[in-house]
Amino acid sequence: MRIVDARVIVTCPGRNFVTLKIVTDEGVTGVGDATLNGRELAVASYLRDHVVPLLIGRDPARIEDTWQYLYQGAYWRRGPVTMSAIAAVDTALWDIKGKVANLPVYQLLGGRSRDGVTVYGHANGETVEDVLVEVARYVDLGYRAIRVQCGVPGLPRTYGVSADKLFYEPADAALPSEATWSTARYLAHVPTVFARVRDEFGPTLRLLHDVHHRLSPIEAARLGKSLEPHALTWMEDPVPAELPEGFRLIRQHTTTPVAVGEVFNTIWDAAQLIREQLIDYIRTTVVHAGGITHLRRIFDLAALHHVRSGSHGATDLSPVCMAAALHLDLAIPNFGLQEYMRHTDATDEVFPHGYRYADGYLHPAETPGLGVDIDEEAAARYPYAPAYLPVNRLEDGTVHPW
């Protein structure tokens, strides 16, 4: 069997996605997600111009060899564009391997380690009362873990708080919009939000919070300490992770668990944080960390150091990535949680899939491969549309330094 075609498909059914579809001479196809939020066309060009020509004629069964060929063979390694492109190839090849073996991919990864994949949803609102309503809605939907985000009094808007509560897309404009940020207002407000949520829903519901890299290490330590009475499952992205030493300071001052890694691209980005046990959950993703092959390496390293998975799963990851993530989530021994933001009906039309939600769990398809595809005719109806994430400025107009 040989690869005879590889197509890069860019579509925007409400938000932009980049998908690679690999075709073999025996008619078996595989799909991989290559979406990089706000930089989608960079990955599409990398694939079309620099990767697709290398794939034609290769044996699709040689997944590891192909991964090494694309990574080691490029002088300019790592980085989100390169690793998203490699991820798309790797994911598509796993899809093909599952179809050839007539097995769902998780069976090729060692089989089930659990019955279902525990997911968490996003409850958010402008006020605490709004948040309580949304948490109650997710509880009614069967969720066992819920991320809580709230508007900050005195700020006109807060990243992570949306108008549409089930389908949140933060990339909101053709050019980056700007928002105002106040660390002091935020630190004063967040603990009061979680106090109300705990009072309303009791001690056993798993609660999470995303800081979105907004704090310095000592500010994050203060937040973690103030949240300890409310027993969060994790405090996500408290500081930018370019400086791993900052996490040591956080660890010295709080026992609130820390999750980080959605912007990581390789095991080398995460290795120090994992080995020094400075984090509790690693949030790397299939699409941004080199595919199933490389993400499995990250999770294996994490398992040796009491760190669980907690993969990013926002709407900028297509159903192809979500399907791949679920197969890996189901197989690894150190699974923690999987983020799950529901896609729109238009996205589900473009990416027909077999995974399903039930009672707080996602279940991958039992069909051979990943159990997801792309409808190229439907994709063609939704052309690319530029969209960027917002930029934060402090109240004095300074671009937020973290």
Side-chain angles (χ1 to χ4, degrees), residues 20 22 29-32 87-97 370:
L20 178 68
I22 293 177
T29 64
V31 290
V89 176
D90 183 80
T91 304
L93 295 184
W94 276 105
D95 192 18
I96 290 171
K97 186 171 285 288
L370 295 175

Side-chain angles (χ1 to χ4, degrees), residues 15-16 36-40 157 159-160 168-179 212-214 262-263 288 312 314-317 341 384-393:
R15 66 112 40 242
N16 293 309
L36 184 62
N37 200 355
R39 299 294 185 270
E40 297 89 356
R157 62 174 176 150
Y159 187 81
Y168 173 45
E169 176 48 61
D172 60 359
L175 292 174
S177 59
E178 296 189 1
H212 293 115
H213 313 278
R214 297 289 190 263
E262 70 182 63
V263 299
H288 298 141
H312 181 58
T315 50
D316 60 309
L317 280 59
M341 291 180 69
Y384 170 80
Y388 290 88
L389 295 170
V391 173
N392 277 283
R393 292 185 181 273

Side-chain angles (χ1 to χ4, degrees), residues 6-148:
R7 298 192 291 274
V8 180
I9 304 155
V10 180
T11 184
C12 186
R15 66 112 40 242
N16 293 309
F17 296 107
V18 179
T19 307
L20 178 68
K21 188 162 193 173
I22 293 177
V23 182
T24 72
D25 56 359
E26 296 184 16
V28 183
T29 64
V31 290
D33 187 12
T35 306
L36 184 62
N37 200 355
R39 299 294 185 270
E40 297 89 356
L41 297 185
V43 187
S45 174
Y46 191 105
L47 282 167
R48 287 194 186 105
D49 299 334
H50 304 293
V51 174
V52 167
L54 308 180
L55 298 177
I56 305 305
R58 291 187 67 86
D59 180 354
R62 297 179 63 166
I63 298 177
E64 179 66 37
D65 182 67
T66 300
W67 196 98
Q68 297 296 337
Y69 180 81
L70 295 175
Y71 183 84
Q72 306 288 357
Y75 184 80
W76 306 105
R77 300 177 184 176
R78 305 170 67 177
V81 174
T82 294
M83 297 307 288
S84 296
I86 292 175
V89 176
D90 183 80
T91 304
L93 295 184
W94 276 105
D95 192 18
I96 290 171
K97 186 171 285 288
K99 291 174 180 176
V100 171
N102 199 33
L103 291 170
V105 167
Y106 76 81
Q107 294 285 15
L108 305 179
L109 298 173
R112 289 178 178 269
S113 290
R114 55 199 50 83
D115 295 328
V117 174
T118 305
V119 296
Y120 70 89
H122 290 200
N124 66 83
E126 287 293 342
T127 68
V128 178
E129 299 303 324
D130 293 338
V131 167
L132 296 176
V133 170
E134 291 304 310
V135 172
R137 176 160 67 145
Y138 276 95
V139 170
D140 289 343
L141 288 171
Y143 283 78
R144 294 167 164 80
I146 300 171
R147 194 186 85 167
V148 174

Side-chain angles (χ1 to χ4, degrees), residues 330-349:
L330 204 64
I332 60 173
N334 57 323
F335 171 77
L337 285 172
Q338 171 66 57
E339 182 177 17
Y340 175 46
M341 291 180 69
R342 296 165 186 256
H343 289 105
T344 63
D345 291 341
T347 298
D348 288 340
E349 175 199 8

